[in-house]
Amino acid sequence: MPNGQHGPSSSQPAGGQWYPPEWPDRIRALADGALTPVPPKRAATVMLLRDTPAGPAVHMLRRRASMAFAGGAYAYPGGGVDPRDEDRRIGWAGPGLDAWADRLGTDAATAQAIVCGAVRETFEEAGVLLAGETPGTVVGDTTGDDWEADREALVARELSFAEFLDRRGLLLRSDLLGAWARWITPEFEPRRYDTWFFVAALPEGQRTRNASTEADRTVWIRPSEAAARYDAGELLMMPPTISTLRSLEPHASAAAALTAAAAQDLTPVLAQAALVDGELVLSWPGHDEFTKRVRPGGTA
């Protein structure tokens, strides 16, 4: 479930923000030239929405506390992009690859792999599949044993998503996705992801389930409620997660959010670190609420 930023353990100086305590040392090492940034891997994550009488709710997973990084943090279904989905022609419905490449800021092959990654991870971790036999349909139920066998083969990477679609005679419904944001893991982190965030509505007839081995629970929660519980320190989240939650709050329905996705800014958000008067200042451009000042000795 890459969300653009992570770390193995945390302190929470404000709200429920994820803040790994080893960051100051790594930031100093990067500034001193003792740390070489690793290239980020491409990833995709999906904010799956469904309408409720009180407004849209988003599907979130809580990472197991035993996880090596971001244990206990809430996130969306997501994960790494499979390069096997770049060069195979697949069944496709909705905007063409050139349009997606323009929207995501990539070439067409990379755009196909990223969109495939978003749809595959939603199926792998939530059991929801944004695909259908025709451009206007979506599969209605993915809970049978045969579907589960395919899902497990995808998780094990025994089957590529392109092969899965071909085997099932399905078209990927790219029109059911909207690109929402893009966050890149800070350069001082040992594992880095270049993560595209998408929004989608839960297809009629399908239901979510916790199919992820990395999560110990799932919830449907309104973005405003999740943000309020983050502010109160009750829910732990990484900056990309709470930022995208806040940006969902103004939208009155899942359809409205999907429509609004076309106007979302996909400029990559990458943390910056600077030494100011002996104090480390960590900031995310355009996201002042996440700015952290680390005093000598490593305290925030």
Side-chain angles (χ1 to χ4, degrees):
M1 290 177 282
N3 270 305
Q5 175 193 337
H6 43 69
S9 57
S10 70
S11 60
Q12 298 179 56
Q17 183 176 340
W18 179 260
Y19 182 76
E22 74 276 11
W23 272 6
D25 289 341
R26 296 191 64 85
I27 292 170
R28 292 187 180 95
L30 181 67
D32 293 342
L35 179 66
T36 301
V38 299
K41 297 179 179 179
R42 295 192 299 271
T45 189
V46 177
M47 299 177 288
L48 192 62
L49 302 174
R50 73 176 184 190
D51 290 320
T52 76
V58 62
H59 180 69
M60 303 191 76
L61 304 86
R62 186 178 68 182
R63 295 179 59 81
R64 295 185 184 277
S66 59
M67 293 299 294
F69 60 84
Y74 281 78
Y76 314 114
V81 168
D82 187 344
R84 293 179 297 176
D85 292 327
E86 289 186 15
D87 53 12
R88 177 165 176 166
R89 188 174 182 85
I90 68 171
W92 192 273
L97 289 178
D98 288 342
W100 274 108
D102 183 65
R103 179 68 177 125
L104 300 180
T106 67
D107 57 67
T110 300
Q112 175 173 294
I114 292 168
V115 174
C116 280
V119 177
R120 173 179 47 77
E121 287 289 337
T122 306
F123 181 50
E124 286 184 9
E125 298 196 337
V128 170
L129 183 59
L130 305 176
E133 294 182 354
T134 67
T137 62
V138 183
V139 296
D141 184 5
T142 63
T143 59
D145 291 343
D146 57 333
W147 287 103
E148 180 61 16
D150 278 352
R151 192 195 66 80
E152 291 179 353
L154 287 167
V155 171
R157 297 298 181 264
E158 297 167 356
L159 183 68
S160 75
F161 194 64
E163 292 168 338
F164 164 73
L165 291 175
D166 186 55
R167 173 190 295 182
R168 289 274 179 178
L170 296 174
L171 304 176
L172 184 153
R173 289 288 306 276
S174 78
D175 54 319
L176 300 182
L177 283 170
W180 195 264
R182 182 180 177 186
W183 287 69
I184 302 177
T185 308
E187 292 183 336
F188 45 81
E189 278 281 63
R191 301 181 189 180
R192 303 186 63 217
Y193 293 95
D194 183 352
T195 304
W196 281 263
F197 286 71
F198 294 85
V199 65
L202 178 68
E204 185 176 352
Q206 293 193 37
R207 61 182 185 270
T208 58
R209 59 192 176 90
N210 183 9
S212 173
T213 59
E214 297 180 358
D216 60 11
R217 68 172 301 197
T218 63
V219 296
W220 282 100
I221 188 169
R222 287 183 297 111
S224 58
E225 180 186 350
R229 294 181 64 184
Y230 164 90
D231 290 336
E234 297 174 7
L235 298 184
L236 180 65
M237 298 181 203
M238 295 172 275
T241 310
I242 182 58
S243 172
T244 49
L245 272 175
R246 294 200 199 283
S247 66
L248 287 173
E249 288 186 48
H251 304 293
S253 67
L258 193 60
T259 298
Q264 285 292 120
D265 184 6
L266 293 189
T267 301
V269 180
L270 174 64
Q272 298 177 349
L275 190 63
V276 181
D277 297 328
E279 185 178 55
L280 283 173
V281 180
L282 179 62
S283 62
W284 283 259
H287 300 269
D288 292 343
E289 75 165 295
F290 305 128
T291 298
K292 294 295 172 193
R293 296 180 178 274
V294 184
R295 294 182 292 274
T299 58

